[in-house]
Amino acid sequence: MSGCGGTDTILRTDPAPHPETGDMKTLTAQLTAFDDTTAARLRGMVLLQLLRAGQSAPATALLHLFLLPPATGETRFAIYETRQPAEFALEMPEVISSALAALGDAGGDPRRVEGADEGWRELDAEGDALYLGTGARFASTNPELSCTTIARLVDTTALYLTQAADGQPLIADASNPFVVNDEQVPAKEIAAIGEPPFQLVDSIERSLR
């Protein structure tokens, strides 16, 4: 599990649990209601989190993103990812079916899947974070590259990140605008949408959204 923090005042309401995921709450209603600037800044923070995670753990993995709201009286929140076991050696329909079945067995909360990364408990012991999206990271066999990470957020934004062997970003695209270091980056068309890896993350994100 890896995470990064930010400061904002956008998370002030108590989202309702997803009807099919028990106690797990999602950021869907709030994120889709954000103004353009706030949503773009959050997307930028997610991309930075994916970048940091790829630098520290570039191995192939199915991952889920969560946002932990600030405690009462504070403004700092955290974004973290947790990894779910997945059999990527199988054909993609089987990978999707297996991942969805494991989520069903866990009550729809990817943090509770058997064999999932438990590191999130260090940051979010009560499981209060809101589900933000699902992604997948693929280690590269090219010695000049480290990994490529894709993700789908609950506001339908697709993310695509490729990192060089030293962990620095070579490609960092999103299907909606994002802000990093106060610079707005325009939306890009992501050619990989529709390919099997995105079919995986899209199938899971739709089930958890």
Side-chain angles (χ1 to χ4, degrees):
M1 188 280 293
S2 60
C4 67
T7 302
D8 215 313
T9 57
I10 57 179
L11 300 167
R12 293 299 175 222
T13 59
D14 186 20
H18 186 289
E20 296 181 1
T21 55
D23 293 335
M24 188 185 80
K25 299 175 182 180
T26 79
L27 196 64
T28 306
Q30 286 177 295
L31 184 52
T32 55
F34 286 169
D35 62 70
D36 291 345
T37 299
T38 302
R41 288 187 179 279
L42 182 58
R43 293 181 199 117
M45 292 176 190
V46 174
L47 269 172
L48 289 176
Q49 157 59 21
L50 293 174
L51 175 64
R52 294 185 184 100
Q55 290 170 337
S56 62
T60 298
L62 175 62
L63 58 95
H64 304 278
L65 294 158
F66 288 84
L67 186 148
L68 182 62
T72 302
E74 299 182 4
T75 60
R76 188 169 183 80
F77 62 85
I79 296 172
Y80 67 81
E81 71 173 53
T82 185
R83 291 176 288 278
Q84 174 184 342
E87 295 290 340
F88 284 103
L90 301 175
E91 295 295 324
M92 190 54 68
E94 295 178 82
V95 179
I96 294 172
S97 176
S98 175
L100 289 173
L103 285 166
D105 291 341
D109 188 336
R111 295 167 296 190
R112 317 290 182 180
V113 170
E114 183 176 357
D117 169 27
E118 294 279 336
W120 60 273
R121 296 182 184 276
E122 299 174 11
L123 181 67
D124 182 23
E126 301 301 321
D128 292 331
L130 287 65
Y131 172 72
L132 184 56
T134 289
R137 182 171 294 115
F138 299 94
S140 178
T141 57
N142 184 334
E144 296 183 358
L145 302 177
S146 172
C147 60
T148 291
T149 305
I150 62 172
R152 180 76 73 175
L153 305 185
V154 293
D155 70 343
T156 75
T157 298
L159 305 176
Y160 189 97
L161 173 67
T162 294
Q163 293 170 251
D166 63 0
Q168 295 305 302
L170 295 176
I171 302 172
D173 291 338
S175 61
N176 284 310
F178 64 93
V179 172
V180 172
N181 297 328
D182 292 324
E183 179 181 348
Q184 177 147 324
V185 181
K188 295 283 187 67
E189 182 177 350
I190 297 177
I193 291 176
E195 295 181 2
F198 258 105
Q199 293 172 13
L200 169 65
V201 300
D202 284 350
S203 295
I204 295 175
E205 184 274 332
R206 282 194 300 267
S207 75
L208 298 177
R209 181 190 306 172

